[in-house]
Amino acid sequence: MNILTALKHHEAGRLKEAIDAYRLILKAAPNNTDALHLMAHATLQTGDTEQAVRFATRAVTLAPNNPHYLLTLGTVHSQIGQLDKVLDCYKRVLALQPNSASAHFGIANALMSLNRLTEAEQSFLAALNAQPEFPEASYNLGNLCKELGKLEVAVEHFQQAVKYRPNFADAHHNLASTLNTLGREDEAVASYHAALPGEFPETYNNLANIYLKRDMIDEALRYYERAVAIKPDYAEAWNNLGKALLGAKKFDDAALCCERAIALAPKMADAHFNLGVVRGNQNRFTDAIDSFSRALEFWPEHADTLYNIAFIHNRMGRREEAERLYRQVLESHPDHIGSHINLSEILMAKDRKEEAQKHIAFAYLKQNLFERHSLVANKSILLLFDAGKGNINLSHLFNEATNNLYDWMIEFATDAQMASLPAHELVFNAMGDPDLTGGDVASPIARFLRMNKKPLLNPPDKVARTARHLLPNLISDINGLIIPQLWRCADGNDWNEDTIASLPVLARPVHTQGGIGMVKLETPEALAEFRAAQSEPMYVSRFIDYRSPDGYCRKYRIIFIDREPYPYHLAISPNWLVHYYTADMPDHAWKLEEEKRFLDNPEDVLGSRGMDAIRAVGQRLDLDYAGIDFSLTADGHILVFESNPTMLVHPEDENGPTRHKNPYIKRILDAFEAKLQRTVDAAKASG
C-alpha cells in the first residue's frame, strides 16, 4: 500500500479506508512522518482526538522543524482545549515561517478563547497581512471587533469575509446583525437575505423583526414561521410570532404562539406579558390578570405590566383595586402617562375633580397624541378628543385591524403640533356631547379646522346642534315625531314658570349622561323642594307617559351611519327610566323575541310613518355617526328621548343570552368601516 492510494481515499472522504491504508503503511514503516501526519488528520476527522494527538505528536517528535506537522498538532490541541500547547505549536511555526497566516490565525483563536482580546486582534491582523484573502480570519476578527464594541470596524471585516467567500452564510448573518445594531436596516435586510440559503433560524427571526418594525406583516409572519419550523424549540421566535399575530389582531393564533413560548421558556416575562395583552383583547379578564401576574414574577415593579393589570381591573368595575395599582405605578414611575389619565377618570367618577384635574394636566401637557398602529391597516385616522366626559366611546366602533388611530387631546395642542401631525387620511370628531365638552376646546378646534385639509366626519358645529335643549329646534317639525321642549335652568331661580303647569316633569343635571341624576317631579311640592335644593344647571322637560297597553315601557335605539338608520336594540322595562342593562332582558324570552323582531324588520314594528320619521331625523342631524333613543306612542308617533353621537355600540358575548344582537351590530360596524373607506377613497380620487 502506498501513501498516494491512502491519500485518494482520504480526499474522497472514505475515512475508514484511508485509516486502514495509513495503518498498513505505518506497520511497514513506523517512522513515516507523512503517514503519521495524515493519520492524525484522519482520526481527528472521525472524532478520535486521543489517537489524533498520539499520531500528530509522533510526527512532530520525528520532524520537529516541519511547520505543517506543527500546525496539525496545534489544531489537534485546539480541538481538545489545550490552549497553552496550541500557542506553543503555532509560535514554533512562526519561528520557522514568520508570515504563516495559519499560525497567526491559530494563535488569534486561542487568545480569543483565553479572553486576551487585544492580543487576539493583533494576531488576526497579522494573519490577514500575510494572507489578505482569508475569509475565516476576516470573519473571526469581525466577531472579535463586535465583542469589543468596534461595530463599524466589524462591518468592514465581515464584508471582507463575504467578498472572498460569497456563500459564507455565517458571515452574512453576523454582518446583517451588526448593520442592524448600527441602524443601517436596508443593508441589514440585504445581508440577512444573503445568509438565507443557510438554515439559520436566527437569521429568519432577526429579518422578521425588521419587517415587523416596518409594519410588513406578511413578510414578518412568513419569516417567523420559517424560524420555528427550522427550530421548533426556539422560544424567542415563538414569542415574536405571537407578538406579530397580536399586532394583526389574530388573537387566537397569537395566544397559541405565546403559550408555546412559555412552555419552552417558562421564565420569559415578555411572553407572559404578551399573552396577557391577548387575553385582555379577548375579554378573558381573569386569564389576562393571571398572565400579567406571571410576568411580574420575572419583571418586578414593571410599569406597563402593573398598568395593564390596573386597566383590566378597571374594565371589570374594580375601581378601588385599579386606583391602588395606578398609584403604585406612579410611585416608581411618576411620568407614566397612561396611569395619570386612567387614574383621573376614576377620580372624576368619585367627584374628586380637583385631584383628577391635576393628573389630567400633568399627563396631557407631557403628551396629548397617542398612536395605535395596526400591522395590517389600510388607512390612518385622526380622532379629536378633549379631556372632558363628553367623548364618544370608540372602544368597538373603529376596526383596529384596518385603521391606524391617532387619539388627540386637542385642547392641549400647540400650533406647531398642528402643523406636524402624523400622516392621516381623515379626521373624526369624537367629542359627542356639547354639554360635556371641555371649555378650553373651542379655540384649538377653530385653529385646527382652519388648517385642516382632510375630510372631517361629525363636524363640531353639527354636533353642537344635538345638545338636549337645542335638539327640539332641529327636528320637532318632522312629521310623525314628538320631542318635548326642554328648558335649561342654571339654578333654582332660573326655571321657566310654564313648567309648573307641565307637571309631571323630568329634571336631570346638564353635565351627566345615561340618566344619572334624573328625577320625575309629579307635584308642586316636590318641584318646589327640588328647586330649593338645586346646586347645578339642570335640563327640565315635560314627562310624557309612554307605557304600552301591556304596562311596559319600551326604549328603542337606532344608529345612524352616514345618515342611514340601523336598528341596535330594544329594552323593555316596567319602569319609566329604561336602561338595557336594568331591564332584565335575558330573563324573559318574550322580551328577547320582541327585540329580535325589531332588529329583523324595524318598519314592521314602527310602521311606515314611524320609520320615515326616523330616516328624516338621520338626514336632519346630517352626521356621519349618531343615534337616537325613542319610544313608540299608542297612536304611532316616535317619542324622542335623545339623539346625538354619544350612543354606544358594542358586540355581545358570543355565548351569552343576547348574542342574537351580534349580526345586527356587525352590520353597524361594517357600515361604519365602509363609510370610512368611501371617504378616504373619495378624497384620493379628488386629488
Side-chain angles (χ1 to χ4, degrees):
M1 176 67 67
N2 61 54
I3 200 161
L4 289 176
T5 301
L7 192 56
K8 286 180 180 178
H9 286 304
H10 197 162
E11 291 175 345
R14 297 188 294 270
L15 295 179
K16 182 180 183 305
E17 290 85 344
I19 290 171
D20 289 342
Y22 293 140
R23 250 193 209 102
L24 289 174
I25 294 169
L26 290 170
K27 185 175 182 181
N31 293 334
N32 186 324
T33 54
D34 284 340
L36 289 166
H37 171 240
L38 293 169
M39 184 66 143
H41 270 291
T43 51
L44 184 63
Q45 286 177 269
T46 65
D48 190 348
T49 53
E50 184 178 345
Q51 287 286 72
V53 169
R54 185 169 70 85
F55 287 116
T57 302
R58 177 69 177 155
V60 168
T61 301
L62 293 170
N65 293 325
N66 187 310
H68 299 295
Y69 298 170
L70 286 165
L71 287 171
T72 297
L73 181 58
T75 301
V76 174
H77 284 309
S78 178
Q79 289 292 311
I80 57 179
Q82 296 177 333
L83 299 180
D84 290 341
K85 293 182 178 181
V86 170
L87 292 172
D88 178 68
C89 287
Y90 291 139
K91 287 177 180 177
R92 288 171 63 184
V93 173
L94 290 178
L96 298 166
Q97 294 180 341
N99 288 325
S100 172
S102 296
H104 284 298
F105 179 67
I107 288 173
N109 289 330
L111 290 169
M112 271 195 74
S113 298
L114 291 167
N115 204 35
R116 293 160 60 180
L117 302 184
T118 302
E119 296 171 80
E121 183 179 13
Q122 295 306 311
S123 291
F124 279 129
L125 289 170
L128 290 167
N129 185 57
Q131 182 182 323
E133 297 184 17
F134 195 162
E136 292 81 4
S138 294
Y139 171 70
N140 286 7
L141 180 54
N143 288 332
L144 173 60
C145 289
K146 187 177 180 182
E147 190 171 343
L148 290 171
K150 301 178 180 180
L151 300 186
E152 297 287 359
V153 178
V155 166
E156 293 175 6
H157 291 301
F158 288 136
Q159 288 172 334
Q160 284 296 103
V162 298
K163 174 182 177 181
Y164 295 119
R165 196 203 292 177
N167 62 348
F168 198 163
D170 282 348
H172 282 295
H173 174 87
N174 286 9
L175 171 59
S177 176
T178 310
L179 289 166
N180 195 26
T181 302
L182 288 167
R184 294 159 62 178
E185 280 190 358
D186 290 339
E187 295 171 85
V189 168
S191 292
Y192 277 131
H193 276 290
L196 285 184
E199 292 289 273
F200 298 112
E202 293 80 6
T203 300
Y204 287 97
N205 179 71
N206 294 355
L207 184 56
N209 286 341
I210 295 177
Y211 284 133
L212 185 62
K213 180 180 176 183
R214 295 180 172 186
D215 292 344
M216 299 170 66
I217 184 61
D218 291 338
E219 290 83 353
L221 291 174
R222 183 165 69 251
Y223 288 117
Y224 283 136
E225 288 167 355
R226 185 60 187 150
V228 297
I230 297 169
K231 187 179 179 182
D233 61 350
Y234 194 175
E236 181 184 348
W238 279 111
N239 180 48
N240 288 340
L241 177 56
K243 195 181 301 184
L245 290 164
L246 172 61
K249 312 301 179 184
K250 297 180 179 180
F251 301 124
D252 292 343
D253 292 339
L256 292 173
C257 292
C258 293
E259 288 172 337
R260 177 65 175 156
I262 291 167
L264 293 166
K267 296 182 179 181
M268 184 181 285
D270 192 43
H272 288 289
F273 178 86
N274 290 333
L275 183 58
V277 176
V278 172
R279 294 310 188 203
N281 277 281
Q282 293 175 317
N283 294 328
R284 293 174 55 175
F285 298 142
T286 301
D287 292 336
I289 290 175
D290 288 344
S291 291
F292 288 131
S293 298
R294 285 286 289 155
L296 278 182
E297 293 178 20
F298 314 108
W299 277 348
E301 297 299 312
H302 185 253
D304 285 342
T305 304
L306 285 168
Y307 169 80
N308 274 279
I309 296 174
F311 184 81
I312 295 295
H313 278 301
N314 202 19
R315 288 189 68 183
M316 297 174 75
R318 302 170 180 170
R319 288 186 172 178
E320 296 300 325
E321 181 63 8
E323 179 180 347
R324 184 187 70 80
L325 288 166
Y326 286 134
R327 292 189 186 279
Q328 183 178 341
V329 174
L330 293 174
E331 284 177 9
S332 55
H333 299 82
D335 291 343
H336 197 275
I337 301 298
S339 293
H340 280 289
I341 294 170
N342 289 358
L343 178 57
S344 74
E345 292 176 358
I346 293 174
L347 294 171
M348 288 291 284
K350 292 183 172 183
D351 205 31
R352 292 157 63 181
K353 296 179 181 178
E354 185 175 346
E355 186 182 356
Q357 285 298 333
K358 290 179 181 178
H359 288 283
I360 289 171
F362 181 92
Y364 293 140
L365 287 173
K366 281 186 172 292
Q367 181 181 351
N368 57 49
L369 185 69
F370 303 87
E371 302 185 17
R372 290 177 282 159
H373 288 272
S374 166
L375 299 177
V376 291
N378 55 29
K379 55 190 174 301
S380 297
I381 302 172
L382 182 66
L383 304 173
L384 306 182
F385 291 94
D386 81 323
K389 296 170 62 178
N391 296 312
I392 305 171
N393 187 328
L394 302 180
S395 300
H396 304 281
L397 186 58
F398 284 88
N399 186 328
E400 292 194 12
T402 55
N403 299 294
N404 294 320
L405 302 174
Y406 305 128
D407 300 342
W408 190 24
M409 299 298 164
I410 192 168
E411 68 190 273
F412 293 88
T414 64
D415 289 343
Q417 184 186 38
M418 290 184 183
S420 59
L421 290 165
H424 54 279
E425 284 76 41
L426 62 86
V427 181
F428 182 86
N429 171 36
M431 295 175 283
D433 187 334
D435 289 315
L436 297 178
T437 298
D440 299 328
V441 79
S443 177
I445 277 283
R447 296 200 312 273
F448 171 70
L449 293 181
R450 286 195 296 269
M451 300 170 63
N452 179 50
K453 305 298 182 185
K454 302 296 183 181
L456 172 65
L457 303 187
N458 273 24
D461 58 334
K462 293 182 179 179
V463 171
R465 301 182 306 171
T466 67
R468 295 180 192 277
H469 64 301
L470 299 179
L471 185 66
N473 298 332
L474 181 64
I475 64 173
S476 61
D477 63 332
I478 293 175
N479 185 42
L481 199 84
I482 299 173
I483 179 167
Q485 187 66 43
L486 274 81
W487 297 276
R488 181 171 174 140
C489 308
D491 55 38
N493 298 316
D494 188 36
W495 284 51
N496 184 314
E497 295 304 322
D498 290 343
T499 58
I500 297 174
S502 302
L503 294 175
V505 297
L506 297 178
R508 65 183 299 161
V510 167
H511 299 107
T512 64
Q513 289 180 327
I516 296 174
M518 181 184 287
V519 295
K520 183 167 68 167
L521 305 171
E522 302 187 74
T523 67
E525 293 76 17
L527 180 63
E529 182 180 352
F530 184 85
R531 290 178 63 179
Q534 183 181 342
S535 60
E536 60 182 326
M538 305 292 294
Y539 277 132
V540 180
S541 66
R542 181 169 60 91
F543 174 76
I544 296 177
D545 190 348
Y546 62 98
R547 282 175 296 178
S548 300
D550 60 4
Y552 283 92
C553 297
R554 286 162 170 80
K555 186 173 78 171
Y556 302 85
R557 174 170 292 183
I558 279 179
I559 300 296
F560 298 111
I561 304 296
D562 197 13
R563 298 145 188 87
E564 292 298 318
Y566 293 82
Y568 175 65
H569 71 208
L570 162 63
I572 306 172
S573 172
N575 302 310
W576 66 267
L577 184 57
V578 182
H579 294 295
Y580 195 90
Y581 60 88
T582 62
D584 297 324
M585 294 291 290
D587 295 334
H588 299 85
W590 68 269
K591 292 184 180 182
L592 297 180
E593 286 301 319
E594 185 173 334
E595 181 182 35
K596 290 176 187 176
R597 290 195 297 274
F598 166 67
L599 294 173
D600 191 54
N601 194 333
E603 189 159 349
D604 275 357
V605 176
L606 305 179
S608 58
R609 183 178 69 165
M611 201 62 211
D612 286 344
I614 293 293
R615 292 190 185 97
V617 171
Q619 295 298 316
R620 191 72 62 83
L621 293 177
D622 196 24
L623 291 169
D624 305 283
Y625 176 82
I628 181 171
D629 282 348
F630 63 94
S631 190
L632 190 66
T633 64
D635 60 358
H637 281 78
I638 300 296
L639 174 62
V640 178
F641 301 138
E642 60 180 314
S643 185
N644 55 56
T646 64
M647 307 291 179
L648 173 63
V649 172
H650 64 86
E652 300 292 333
D653 184 347
E654 284 293 346
N655 298 312
T658 56
R659 60 185 179 274
H660 62 276
K661 294 171 57 178
N662 282 337
Y664 304 96
I665 294 168
K666 185 177 185 301
R667 285 183 59 215
I668 295 171
L669 299 178
D670 287 349
F672 185 70
E673 175 66 16
K675 167 60 179 176
L676 298 177
Q677 194 62 56
R678 284 197 307 274
T679 305
V680 170
D681 292 343
K684 288 179 179 177
S686 64

